[in-house]
Amino acid sequence: MTDTKSNKMWGGRFAAGPDAIMEAINASIGFDKRMAAQDIAGSRAHAAMLAATGILSDSDAEAIREGLLTILSEIEGGQFEFSTALEDIHMNVEARLKEVIGEPAGRLHTGRSRNDQVATDFKLWTRDQFDAFEGGLLALIDALLGQAEAGADWVMPGFTHLQTAQPVTWGHHMMAYVEMFGRDLSRVRDARARMNESPLGAAALAGTSFPIDREMTAQALGFDRPSANSLDAVSDRDFALEFLSCASICAMHLSRFAEELVIWSSAQFRFVALSDRFSTGSSIMPQKKNPDAAELIRAKVGRIFGANTALMMVMKGLPLTYSKDMQEDKEQVFDAADNLMLALAAMEGMVRDMNGQRENLAAAAGSGFSTATDLADWLVRVLGLPFRDAHHITGSLVAMAEGQGCDLPDLTLEQMQSVHAQITGDVFDVLGVENSVNSRMSYGGTAPAQVRIQIKRWKDIL
Ligand code: ARG
């Protein structure tokens, strides 16, 4: 080496070491140390493959294997000293390997580059997060199914524009979220299957002249196959973007549900009582029980979607293949993954603990003229009126009830007949919310019997 200050790993052509500012902007060790286990797994697979193909002697490979295991336990035990001068996790591990086993350490990087190494490590890390994401979704769906089952026939108002629309069932509302998180689950599984190709062996960008066995390393690391184009392999970050976009959509779903829980737990609604375990108090107002978990979940979509946007901006316009810009990928995914897992777990806990207030839900279901559509449908079905006329007549009856400060079932038959003479007393049957929801038996409708069919379908799927 020309200068003891120049970088041990790549300083051969350098006469001087980097400026402190250069070192600061260049280093990723502050965050990519989270990929230490993946880095060591990748190196072990690579070393074993180098030995199997005769590129490395068995004794060197064995020394490397043992050295890497020692380093892994140092890192796990918190005794490893990370160095900013060594830039990143890859060079920190390799430099330590040199200290632990000496000369054979220098042979580990044969037929490999940090470009395929980092792509491999980051894929392995992200793949674990896809699996955790799947687990979190399954647990949340299970919690929602529990709520749906318990309240399959509880009536509540269904809303459009947050205005009372028609009565629905609690189970139906819970199952709407099961569908949403179910789509998230299928997106996660799709993306995970697509990303599971090994970049290792793409080397710097062009592949290598060493007779490496990419199938072997792919298999050792649990990949389905090696990636087919070395240029693409080192420059692809689609897997990270797919993780972030799956996470963004899921966080958006979580945020919608969180918003409903905030509204539902308010004193004005009282649709749901959140447990003490997922609420907080106010330091000044003794009566308060705040839905902080729901509020924070509602906010998480901001940073997760922000991460998605940030990485899109980093990647757009980058020429093939690797550019250092891509080092900015990890913090976005780390932060999004941490916050997504927390939000999923908090939502699952809240859902398991929450108590739907059946009586309040039922009382609200019957107010706000929620069965007006049932009345209009009755006029069509029984009196044979065109739907538009029925709509108009019902509108007049709603106006009448509103003028009297009562609900539709509180009008007398005479009052109804003053609007349309042929209305009979049978009409009162359809004005009850129970009948209303029971009648909505179309596939996917809100009738408890339909809801139970969907609960069973989901239980069979899972
Ligand atoms: N720390 C780098 C990153 O995260 C590793 C790859 C560096 N490759 C290189 N050619 N400088 O992207």
Side-chain angles (χ1 to χ4, degrees):
M1 284 198 191
T2 47
D3 182 324
T4 47
K5 283 200 155 86
S6 72
N7 189 293
K8 292 197 242 180
M9 298 293 167
W10 46 248
R13 64 163 292 175
F14 286 76
D19 189 90
I21 300 286
M22 180 59 213
E23 199 172 286
I25 195 172
N26 198 35
S28 54
I29 189 63
F31 49 88
D32 67 16
K33 60 182 168 203
R34 281 187 75 168
M35 306 193 306
Q38 288 75 13
D39 192 70
I40 288 170
S43 287
R44 285 183 58 193
H46 184 66
M49 179 278 292
L50 291 178
T53 50
I55 300 167
L56 199 65
S57 73
D58 287 344
S59 60
D60 282 350
E62 182 50 27
I64 289 171
R65 195 185 76 86
E66 281 178 17
L68 288 170
L69 287 175
T70 303
I71 294 169
L72 183 62
S73 67
E74 287 175 356
I75 293 174
E76 284 173 351
Q79 300 122 358
F80 191 96
E81 260 184 56
F82 293 102
S83 147
T84 309
L86 288 167
E87 282 183 38
D88 57 27
I89 186 62
H90 324 295
M91 297 205 295
N92 267 268
V93 170
E94 196 183 318
R96 177 69 186 136
L97 189 64
K98 181 86 189 292
E99 290 170 6
V100 177
I101 67 168
E103 192 262 351
R107 300 181 186 278
L108 171 61
H109 215 50
T110 313
R112 185 178 76 170
S113 153
R114 271 190 294 157
N115 296 347
D116 60 340
Q117 194 179 358
V118 72
T120 304
D121 294 3
F122 192 31
K123 263 197 169 179
L124 290 173
W125 195 91
T126 305
R127 194 177 67 187
D128 284 348
Q129 298 303 308
F130 270 118
D131 292 341
F133 194 169
E134 172 170 359
L137 283 167
L138 286 169
L140 175 56
I141 289 172
D142 182 67
L144 286 163
L145 285 172
Q147 284 287 347
E149 237 178 349
D153 57 356
W154 298 3
V155 290
M156 66 179 283
F159 300 93
T160 61
H161 316 267
L162 198 58
Q163 306 287 322
T164 299
Q166 293 173 348
V168 296
T169 48
W170 171 265
H172 199 45
H173 200 110
M174 294 301 129
M175 292 305 289
Y177 283 101
V178 168
E179 292 293 330
M180 289 148 85
F181 294 120
R183 284 192 296 277
D184 290 333
L185 185 64
S186 99
R187 256 185 292 277
V188 164
R189 287 173 173 167
D190 278 356
R192 200 245 191 238
R194 195 166 23 257
M195 64 99 73
N196 204 28
E197 293 185 342
S198 174
L200 196 56
L205 74 164
T208 174
S209 57
F210 290 99
I212 60 170
D213 182 348
R214 293 193 61 206
E215 292 283 350
M216 182 178 167
T217 46
Q219 207 176 36
L221 295 169
F223 288 111
D224 295 328
R225 64 193 81 82
S227 55
N229 183 300
S230 62
L231 301 177
D232 175 51
V234 296
S235 69
D236 164 40
R237 291 296 181 273
D238 291 5
F239 61 95
L241 286 164
E242 283 204 66
F243 179 83
L244 293 173
S245 58
C246 291
S248 295
I249 296 174
C250 177
M252 175 274 290
H253 289 152
L254 287 168
S255 159
R256 294 181 72 175
F257 195 23
E259 168 69 358
E260 296 203 310
L261 294 178
V262 170
I263 295 172
W264 290 359
S265 62
S266 69
Q268 289 68 25
F269 268 74
R270 296 184 193 279
F271 280 10
V272 74
L274 298 177
S275 75
D276 288 355
R277 303 193 323 142
F278 286 94
S279 310
T280 57
S282 157
S283 53
I284 175 169
M285 296 165 284
Q287 86 283 10
K288 292 285 290 266
K289 186 165 158 186
N290 294 328
D292 292 41
E295 294 169 274
L296 288 162
I297 292 169
R298 185 173 60 184
K300 292 295 184 196
V301 64
R303 65 198 289 167
I304 293 172
F305 197 76
N308 188 31
T309 309
L311 186 54
M312 278 296 247
M313 291 303 108
V314 167
M315 295 305 295
K316 78 167 268 298
L318 285 188
L320 297 186
T321 54
Y322 179 85
S323 296
K324 197 64 174 255
D325 310 49
M326 289 161 69
Q327 178 165 287
E328 293 281 314
D329 54 3
K330 290 165 219 61
E331 285 163 293
Q332 303 300 340
V333 177
F334 292 169
D335 184 75
D338 290 346
N339 283 285
L340 177 74
M341 301 316 158
L342 201 51
L344 279 168
M347 185 57 96
E348 183 214 335
M350 262 196 309
V351 171
R352 285 200 195 283
D353 278 14
M354 73 185 183
N355 280 312
Q357 303 294 293
R358 188 175 183 175
E359 275 161 28
N360 298 343
L361 289 162
S367 69
F369 316 107
S370 65
T371 53
T373 313
D374 299 87
L375 172 54
D377 287 350
W378 184 89
L379 294 169
V380 171
R381 208 172 42 245
V382 179
L383 302 186
L385 299 182
F387 183 77
R388 276 293 147 234
D389 295 350
H391 186 285
H392 195 79
I393 292 165
T394 306
S396 307
L397 289 167
V398 166
M400 177 185 279
E402 196 170 38
Q404 298 181 12
C406 68
D407 266 307
L408 282 174
D410 305 321
L411 293 175
T412 64
L413 183 58
E414 291 70 42
Q415 287 172 325
M416 293 210 187
Q417 286 171 341
S418 74
V419 175
H420 189 83
Q422 284 164 284
I423 294 178
T424 67
D426 290 350
V427 76
F428 288 98
D429 288 348
V430 301
L431 298 183
V433 289
E434 306 280 344
N435 288 339
S436 168
V437 297
N438 284 327
S439 72
R440 294 218 153 60
M441 270 298 285
S442 51
Y443 179 80
T446 200
Q450 281 298 330
V451 172
R452 291 193 180 101
I453 288 170
Q454 295 304 328
I455 294 173
K456 174 158 187 326
R457 184 175 70 83
W458 272 102
K459 285 193 159 176
D460 292 346
I461 293 173
L462 306 172

